Structure formats: C-alpha cells, structure tokens
Amino acid sequence: MPIKIPDTLPAFDALVNEGVRVMTETAAIRQDIRPLQIGLLNLMPNKIKTELQMARLLGASPLQIELSLVRIGNHKPKNTPEDHLYAFYETWETAKHRKFDGFIITGTPVETIPFEDVSYWQEMQDILEWTQTNVHSTMNVCWGAMAALYHFHGVPKHQLTEKAFGVYGQKILKPSSPYLNGFSDDFAIPVSRWAQVQAADVAACPELTLLAHSDEKGVCIAEDPRYHRLYVLDHLEYDSTSLADEYFRDIKADVPIKLPFNYFPSDDTTQAPQNRWRSHAHLLLSNWINEMYQTTPFDMSLIGKTGQQADVHQRFESAPAAE
C-alpha cells in the first residue's frame, strides 16, 4: 500500500519521481482498511528535506500509512518557510488530543546544549510523557533519542571533543530482535553529532536492551520493549549527499569541520559518495512498522491503556468500507 500525504506537500512529487507509491485522500477512503496513523515530530532545521527522507522510508511499507506532520508550538525554525509550516504541520498542542500507532521524534543540532537549557525542553518533556498514553510505538532519532533516554531512564549524553562525522560500522548485539530482522552481521550508518550515549550507561538500565553499537561512536540502536520505544542515535534516513551537504555548508561558513570519515571515495570530495546504508534504512523502518502492526490495537482508543491487547485476528482489514 502507498503512503498518504497531502498531494501539495513538496515531498509528494519527489516520491512519485522516485517510484514510491503515494495516494490522495480520495483514493485512500475507497480502501476497506484502517491505515496506520504515524506522526512525525520534525525538529530538524530543514524540515522539507527530513519530510522527504522519512516519507520515502515509510512509503515503502506494504501497509497503508497516513503520515501527520507535527511541530513544536513555541519554536520558530529559521530554515523552513512559515507558509509551509502553516499549510502542512499541526502543533503538538493540536495533535495531542489524537492517538497514534507510531510516532517519530527526529533529532536537531542542539546536542552541545544541556537538555534543560534547550528553549523548548519543557514542551519536549510534555510530549515525551504524552507518548506514553497516546502512542503505541515511538522511534526517537539522534538528539530525539538522547532526550528520550535522558527523560525516561536518566541516561546522560557525553560531549565529544570533536564532531562524530562520517559513516561508521556498527555491530549487531541482538540479532534476534524483530527490529533487526534481515540485517547483516554488521552494517554502516551515517553519524553526525557532537555527543554520544555510552553502552555502559544503557547496560546500567535493566529495562533497556542494546541492539547495535559502535566501538568508536557509542550506542547506535537501543530499545525499551516494555513501551515499544526504539532509540536510534544515528541517521539511517540520510540521503546519499546529506553528509556532503553538511560538510560543504560548514566549509562555506568557515566553520571548522573534518572530512567525513569513510564517506567520499578515496577521501576525494569531487567524487560522489556511495550510499551503503539504504537497504538497512528500509529494513529498520519496515521492521518497526511490522512490529507496530502486529501489536497495536485495532481500536485506537485502547492505545496507551494498561494491559492493552491487539486483536491479531481482526486486524486492520476489518474496518467498515467508506460510503
């Protein structure tokens, strides 16, 4: 099934040109199923690019997905036009009355700032608490993962003396995890952050399971299986050129930056980087969606309720047909 997004969203045409199936509202209501409701709290500065990256991965699912774009209410981004935000996003204050099968919280480049000093930290804490009652499964990415690990488990982030920047190999620590189904024994993933989460801090929390880790750059993927929370510290969603864009942006702005590790062929910035993580990005999102589908209640009012059970026999195809 395709992903349902507004047909005027800039990502719509880009996805169609890439061969990703998307659908309009008219086509969606004809199908006799309940789509998975997934929200994207987009904290990234370039929201339009992040929308495309996430929609591309979600749209590869065989299930029908309805994507809702959500933003922090009291923070105005500098790199996204306001008319785009007003046209396609709802604030969390508006969205918080809804239930979601899945909710993605992205990163944002504030990892050098203590959590409590981030201008919207109180609202971020409110959102994290809200996910416990209104969301069945969450995926927290980069700073979003650091924030959730700190809020829910007291896991600290450790500042780095230089930016972790490049494509780093990761070790699979729990190959039996449904989130890692189909993964290679090891895999590479883009890393771009000024802080890390250390494996020892995750291991000290019995409720957490470490799934993938880099000896050089710390935790990559962890989960809290009790609440269907997935923590992804790095950027499988990145495009082939995302690290190059960051590198040349900083060079142009005269910001000190090292060449991204293991990225440009022969470290030659005139050569196009090869994407070695795309298949694992699709695997991770597909596995997350499948696990969500298998466990989320058909009746969305049950999401967040203690002792909720998904009716695996009824499933989503039992929704009444639209008139």
Side-chain angles (χ1 to χ4, degrees), residues 101-115:
D101 299 295
F103 203 74
I104 300 171
I105 300 177
T106 75
T108 186
V110 295
E111 65 267 29
T112 60
I113 304 172
F115 292 115

Side-chain angles (χ1 to χ4, degrees), residues 92-93 96 120-133 151-152:
W92 172 70
E93 282 293 328
K96 71 179 183 181
Y120 48 84
W121 178 242
Q122 183 58 60
E123 187 172 2
M124 187 69 180
Q125 288 183 296
D126 292 341
I127 292 171
L128 291 171
E129 284 298 308
W130 165 85
T131 63
Q132 297 197 105
T133 56
H151 176 77
F152 288 121

Side-chain angles (χ1 to χ4, degrees), residues 160-173:
L160 300 173
T161 55
E162 64 179 32
K163 187 177 185 180
F165 190 50
V167 180
Y168 288 86
Q170 309 290 334
K171 296 178 181 178
I172 298 293
L173 301 180

Side-chain angles (χ1 to χ4, degrees), residues 34-316:
R34 172 173 91 70
L36 283 169
Q37 298 291 328
I38 296 181
L40 172 63
L41 180 66
N42 192 352
L43 303 176
M44 290 294 281
N46 190 328
K47 298 193 184 313
I48 295 175
K49 181 180 291 186
T50 303
E51 294 157 15
L52 174 59
Q53 292 169 346
M54 290 300 186
R56 176 188 294 125
L57 298 174
L58 294 170
S61 169
L63 304 172
Q64 188 189 126
I65 291 170
E66 184 169 340
L67 181 64
S68 298
L69 302 176
V70 184
R71 62 184 175 90
I72 291 284
N74 61 4
H75 177 73
K76 291 187 177 181
K78 300 177 181 178
N79 300 294
T80 303
E82 283 196 14
D83 58 349
H84 180 86
L85 294 179
Y86 292 135
F88 301 112
Y89 280 77
E90 54 186 322
T91 65
W92 172 70
E93 282 293 328
T94 301
K96 71 179 183 181
H97 304 292
R98 299 172 54 190
K99 299 267 188 173
F100 291 89
D101 299 295
F103 203 74
I104 300 171
I105 300 177
T106 75
T108 186
V110 295
E111 65 267 29
T112 60
I113 304 172
F115 292 115
E116 293 80 3
D117 292 343
V118 174
S119 61
Y120 48 84
W121 178 242
Q122 183 58 60
E123 187 172 2
M124 187 69 180
Q125 288 183 296
D126 292 341
I127 292 171
L128 291 171
E129 284 298 308
W130 165 85
T131 63
Q132 297 197 105
T133 56
N134 287 63
V135 177
H136 177 68
S137 180
T138 57
M139 177 182 289
N140 307 276
V141 180
C142 199
W143 183 83
M146 296 180 197
L149 283 166
Y150 179 70
H151 176 77
F152 288 121
H153 311 283
V155 173
K157 62 182 174 70
H158 297 270
Q159 213 63 45
L160 300 173
T161 55
E162 64 179 32
K163 187 177 185 180
F165 190 50
V167 180
Y168 288 86
Q170 309 290 334
K171 296 178 181 178
I172 298 293
L173 301 180
K174 191 177 180 183
S176 62
S177 168
Y179 297 116
L180 302 180
N181 185 33
F183 269 56
S184 306
D185 292 338
D186 57 16
F187 64 100
I189 183 171
V191 178
S192 179
R193 47 181 164 80
W194 281 94
Q196 70 175 12
V197 171
Q198 296 180 356
D201 293 326
V202 170
C205 298
E207 70 275 15
L208 294 176
T209 303
L210 185 56
L211 304 182
H213 173 261
S214 165
D215 290 337
E216 298 168 291
K217 300 305 174 188
V219 174
C220 176
I221 306 175
E223 69 162 325
D224 182 347
R226 303 169 306 162
Y227 299 106
H228 305 284
R229 282 199 289 261
L230 194 62
Y231 305 102
V232 183
L233 275 296
D234 300 313
H235 291 286
L236 274 169
E237 82 281 0
Y238 265 13
D239 297 324
S240 303
T241 61
S242 293
L243 293 178
D245 293 342
E246 292 181 23
Y247 175 73
F248 291 121
R249 175 202 64 198
D250 287 352
I251 291 293
K252 184 177 180 180
D254 201 26
V255 173
I257 184 70
K258 286 189 175 181
L259 198 69
F261 173 77
N262 194 29
Y263 179 61
F264 290 108
S266 303
D267 285 342
D268 182 354
T269 59
T270 66
Q271 295 190 47
Q274 292 186 326
N275 190 314
R276 303 192 299 280
W277 58 90
R278 184 184 296 112
S279 59
H280 287 96
H282 281 279
L283 272 174
L284 181 64
L285 267 292
S286 176
N287 290 340
W288 179 62
I289 291 168
N290 182 59
E291 184 69 8
M292 181 196 314
Y293 175 75
Q294 296 296 330
T295 58
T296 194
F298 178 80
D299 181 352
M300 293 191 72
S301 68
L302 297 178
I303 288 176
K305 299 288 180 65
T306 303
Q308 66 175 23
Q309 296 292 330
D311 184 350
V312 296
H313 301 292
Q314 184 181 29
R315 297 319 314 156
F316 288 23

